[in-house]
Amino acid sequence: MKSTIVSFSIFILMLFSIIFSIKYLNTVCMKLQNLNTKIEQTLQSNNWEESYRNSEHFMSEWKKYSSKLSIFSNYNEIEDINNELWKLIHHITYKNKEEALISVDIIKNSIYSILHMQQLNIENLF
């Protein structure tokens, strides 16, 4: 009886941990996606100073969350986002709109990929 209670308690604890971690991942990814969208909008309106400030803010948020996201995701995806973010900042600095928008899109797709791969569904369980 005692082992059943302990096992059930561990199961409940694991379930809450999974739910909490997925909620945290969703929150962080949505925050990063919103920042990325702001960068995209300012780039499309050719507001280079605001784009640069937004990209610097994205970089600071990325540094804060990337170590935690590496728990949920493949290291290569984290490194790809990091590299594209550096490219984005340089493209904005040199006012290369096309390349900057491509980097924004790559970052957006990578964050979506992290979020999608960690969703709780049958496909990801098996």
Side-chain angles (χ1 to χ4, degrees), residues 28-42 51 54-55 57-62 65 88 104:
V28 169
C29 285
M30 291 308 296
K31 184 175 186 176
L32 292 173
Q33 286 288 32
N34 289 338
L35 291 172
N36 196 36
T37 302
K38 282 183 184 178
I39 296 170
E40 184 176 23
Q41 290 169 348
T42 55
S51 295
N54 287 337
S55 64
H57 181 61
F58 188 97
M59 177 65 89
S60 67
E61 292 295 311
W62 176 249
Y65 294 123
L88 174 64
V104 164

Side-chain angles (χ1 to χ4, degrees), residues 78-89:
I78 302 298
E79 192 63 30
D80 289 344
I81 293 173
N82 196 37
N83 291 337
E84 282 302 319
L85 188 53
W86 282 109
K87 287 180 190 177
L88 174 64
I89 290 173

Side-chain angles (χ1 to χ4, degrees), residues 15-33:
L15 191 62
F16 282 127
S17 298
I18 290 169
I19 291 170
F20 173 75
S21 65
I22 290 174
K23 185 174 173 71
Y24 176 77
L25 180 68
N26 286 336
T27 303
V28 169
C29 285
M30 291 308 296
K31 184 175 186 176
L32 292 173
Q33 286 288 32

Side-chain angles (χ1 to χ4, degrees), residues 82-99:
N82 196 37
N83 291 337
E84 282 302 319
L85 188 53
W86 282 109
K87 287 180 190 177
L88 174 64
I89 290 173
H90 289 292
H91 292 312
I92 291 172
T93 302
Y94 295 113
K95 297 181 180 176
N96 188 345
K97 183 177 180 177
E98 293 82 19
E99 293 293 327

